[in-house]
Amino acid sequence: MKKLTGKILLTAATILGASTALSAETFKFAFQGDAQGLDPHGLNETFTLGFLGNVYEGLSRYDGNQNLKPALAESWEVKTPTTWLVKLRQGVKFHNGNTFNADDVIFSWKRGLTEGSDQKVRASLIQDIKKIDDYTIELITPAPSPVLMQEMVFYYILDKEWAEANNATKAANVKNLNDAGYANLNANGTGPYKIASRQAGVKTVFVRNADYWGESNAKIDKIEFTPIKEAATRVAALISGQVDMVYPVPVQDWQKLGDSKGVSALTGPEARTIFLGMDQWRDELVNSNVKGKNPFKDIRVREAFARAINLDAIKKKIMRGSSTPSGLMVAPQINGYSAKLNNPYAYDPAKSKALLAEAGYPKGFELQMDCPNNRYVNDEKICQAVVGFMAKVGVKVNLLAQPKSKYFAKVATQNNNDTSFYLLGWTPGSIDSHNVYQNLLSCQNTEKKRGLFNYGRFCNSRVDEITGLIGSETDAAKRQALIDEGFSIVQKEVGYLPLHQQPLSWGVSDKVTVVQRADNVFDFRSIKFNQ
Amino acid sequence: MISFIVKRILQSLLVMLAVALIAFALFQFVGDPINNMVGQDTSLLDREKLRQDLGLNDPIFIQFFRFVGNALRGEFGFSYVHRLPVSQLIGERFSATIELSFVSAVIALVVGVPMGIYTAINRRGLLSRSFMTLSLIGVSLPTFLIGILLILVFGVSFRWLPAFGRGEVVNIGWWSTGFLTASGLKALILPSITLALFQMTLIMRLVRAEMLEVMRADFIKFGRARGLNNRSLYFRHALKNTLIPVITITGLQLGSIIAFAIITESVFQWPGMGLLFIQAIGDADIPIMAAYLVLIALIFVLINLIVDILYVRIDPRLRTSTSGSGGQ
């Protein structure tokens, strides 16, 4: 009997040993959520697109330092301000063996305009595509579009024949998935990795594409991805060695990673700027004790708020030294950023009080603040700190911190921007300032699709004008001058209160090296096992 | 008997309808699902159109009746976030939750019953007292904390057991099982203990109380007077009489084990229905939430129904004309 037990134990040990030996070539990582389907036109969201960017490719791509590089396009050239001549790469194969050519690009562009697509904004940057030959196309834009190729990074190309054969010529539409669900469950790109298996919300397995056209710098044969929702479990999974990389890691867990053997925190500044916005359009604030007028319409009150908030304290106490206090609405990685303009409002509570008194609120006033509590790094804690800072100068802020689904439903433009004072974060998808002008700084105009995320409806006619100008100005120096002028106006007018760029926070096993991109996209090609 | 069952089934249907209606009333407060379904650049027009298409602008009652109508035809719609049929998502996750719940129930019984007997027989023993103290901790510590503590000790410090997930699974038809692989069995240990702990202490305390009660009964005294030995007294006579209420409670608790697996599943990233539900709440994924709540109601209702029927079979007193209220 004893012998038998011994044997069983031995066999069990062998099985266990074998399974660890096999997994040596597998890289495992975890994120807090999952990609929302595999359709490259299904959802325009950073994680989903970044995840799919290992399987699919666009005409262009970013390298590890966020520099624009050619991908499926070999080169491009601006013929007239609205015509781009693009040479496509030859000899590229999709995962199913089909050859990539101009027809696939044209097909993918049209597919992005179909009803279920969430890539309509990018697709409509192009008015028409003229096929010159199988590997040369002309992109016609409705207006000059200097950042077209930046936008094309996340616009992925599908195989026309594959989509037609599988009834997936339209983007997956959540309303009627029986119709076009195939591309949501299956992937066929040109990228360095193929999807071997996937169970939504549970596990996705990638295998290396041996026929990849690019330099074969993808080294890992198999990659396993698991979403882990709870931050504590995610960190424990990393420390226990079950996964090689996790993100995001809560800022307060960095210490724990540092103290644990074999893992470390990989951090860097994210291109996302966190800021506060103020209702500058209502005649009377919602939920405030000031009746008959809106204090935020007075620039002195806005400045008083700016002077009352101590960015360095937020950095030190809440962000554990990891944030970069900002005076601009864009991060240094963003095209159009200007270091000399990046001057945060100096912390000066005495001046803040004086400004409030001057504006007619010597005893301060009361208002409500909206804040998400599961969207940005320590979002709720930042808001609580703001409540404290404002209390010091006599302004009573009632904080309403809610999960993002509830928060966005309340403050969104569809809900008539039901907020007086709010916290929001923004990364321009195109890595260009124009996106910030378009969405946050220009006056809100739903018809022109401007300022849709300008929840406080800051409105300055010159800034509004500049938004249009930089959208089509192709001379880099002139464009930068316009961008600078606009940012200076926003600062002078105290249109927004920028807080900081939040940190990227990954946890990585010492066994591996990965490259962390400023847009928080994880490119599998950068993974290396350390020997 | 037949009329009793029919009556019970009709009542059960009513309960499920009520659950669904309450669920839909609550969905008004979970936030806007649209924001999780589209990217930040999507225009207001497209967002509004999506709302309209999904019927989110309709009054609650319309949404509710549409859900019930579809559910009767076996359709539960598509998850907003995963963009997959809800029935498929729940089907994939069902086996994970059932296996975890089953193992937990077995642990709770196999450990809880002997501990209960022991503490009843040796009431003043040192071990009994420590069991009782430990059981207090089991009842009062939240599942979340127990899970995290187990992960820290066995997953992170000793690295004996996996900190998350289900290990390798084997698919037998549509059922995926973790029972057939070493990693699947190892992955079961921590979450099943976490989930079992509360039920285990409950069963232990119940067995103890029942046992003490029975030990005072006349037939035990009589047995002792007849000179039966302790072993026969405790296990043949006392325990048998104790187990009837224990089995009833355990049966009813099975439903709550399945329902309360939510917390354990989210701590251990156990890919079951509870985790799916928690994620759905975060994303305001209404089709998943609705289907899950109705399914859990169905499980509860079924278990109650079975218990009721068993009661009628076992207890002749309930087979009279007033049988409808039996077992409540």
Side-chain angles (χ1 to χ4, degrees), chain A residues 478-511:
Chain A
K478 276 190 206 159
R479 190 164 186 267
Q480 184 62 47
L482 286 167
I483 292 174
D484 285 352
E485 187 192 341
F487 281 153
S488 308
I489 296 172
V490 176
Q491 274 178 338
K492 217 176 75 219
E493 291 289 317
V494 203
Y496 280 98
L497 311 176
L499 295 178
H500 57 238
Q501 273 88 44
Q502 66 179 25
L504 291 170
S505 176
W506 298 8
V508 186
S509 156
D510 292 348
K511 286 188 293 186

Side-chain angles (χ1 to χ4, degrees), chain A residues 15-16 34-37 42-45 115 118 120-122 172-178 184-185 199-203 226-230 232-233 236-237 239-243 256 261 272 404-406 408-409 413-414 426-429 435 439 446 449 452-453, chain B residues 28-32 34-44 46-50 53-54 78-84 88-89 92-93 144 148 151-152 155-156 159 161-165 167-168 182-183 186 266-269 271 275 278-279 281-284:
Chain A
I15 293 170
L16 290 179
D34 196 1
Q36 299 191 10
L43 177 69
N44 176 18
E45 178 251 347
E115 195 194 335
D118 195 35
K120 285 184 201 136
V121 175
R122 290 201 172 101
N173 185 344
V174 76
K175 179 70 178 128
N176 187 4
L177 283 162
N178 295 321
N184 196 42
L185 300 174
Q199 190 187 346
V202 178
K203 193 181 192 179
T226 320
I228 303 183
K229 187 178 182 295
E230 293 296 334
T233 312
I239 298 178
S240 70
Q242 257 187 295
V243 292
K256 200 158 102 199
K261 254 195 190 155
R272 185 183 300 282
K404 59 182 183 207
S405 301
K406 297 222 59 167
F408 282 110
T413 302
Q414 299 94 300
W426 195 265
T427 310
N435 175 293
N439 289 300
T446 46
K449 296 181 182 172
L452 297 183
F453 295 86
Chain B
Q28 305 306 307
F29 303 100
V30 294
D32 182 14
I34 303 296
N35 194 56
N36 297 308
M37 298 170 68
V38 298
Q40 62 183 23
D41 296 334
T42 303
S43 70
L44 295 188
D46 283 341
R47 283 167 196 253
E48 198 40 55
K49 185 164 183 333
L50 192 56
D53 283 349
L54 293 173
F78 291 97
S79 152
Y80 293 163
V81 170
H82 297 293
R83 294 155 202 238
L84 291 171
Q88 180 195 332
L89 283 168
E92 283 173 359
R93 310 287 190 102
F144 186 85
I148 291 284
I151 291 177
L152 277 182
V156 174
R159 302 200 180 186
L161 296 167
F164 81 95
E168 298 289 320
S183 67
K186 276 173 83 176
S266 69
V267 173
F268 287 94
Q269 192 65 28
L275 183 63
I278 282 274
Q279 285 165 341
I281 293 177
D283 298 323

Side-chain angles (χ1 to χ4, degrees), chain A residues 219-261:
Chain A
K219 290 167 197 67
I220 314 298
D221 289 327
K222 193 172 155 199
I223 292 169
E224 238 180 70
F225 163 69
T226 320
I228 303 183
K229 187 178 182 295
E230 293 296 334
T233 312
R234 206 157 56 234
V235 172
L238 176 72
I239 298 178
S240 70
Q242 257 187 295
V243 292
D244 303 305
M245 190 276 237
V246 296
Y247 74 114
V249 170
V251 174
Q252 45 278 14
D253 279 348
W254 288 359
Q255 183 72 34
K256 200 158 102 199
L257 289 190
D259 293 345
S260 309
K261 254 195 190 155

Side-chain angles (χ1 to χ4, degrees), chain A residues 206-220:
Chain A
F206 299 85
V207 291
R208 197 163 66 93
N209 174 13
D211 302 321
Y212 184 55
W213 59 266
E215 301 154 53
S216 181
N217 53 359
K219 290 167 197 67
I220 314 298

Side-chain angles (χ1 to χ4, degrees), chain B residues 13-25 64 290 293-294 296-297:
Chain B
L13 280 176
L14 218 69
V15 168
M16 286 173 63
L17 278 177
V19 168
L21 183 62
I22 293 170
F24 269 87
F64 168 69
L293 289 173
V294 171
I296 290 296

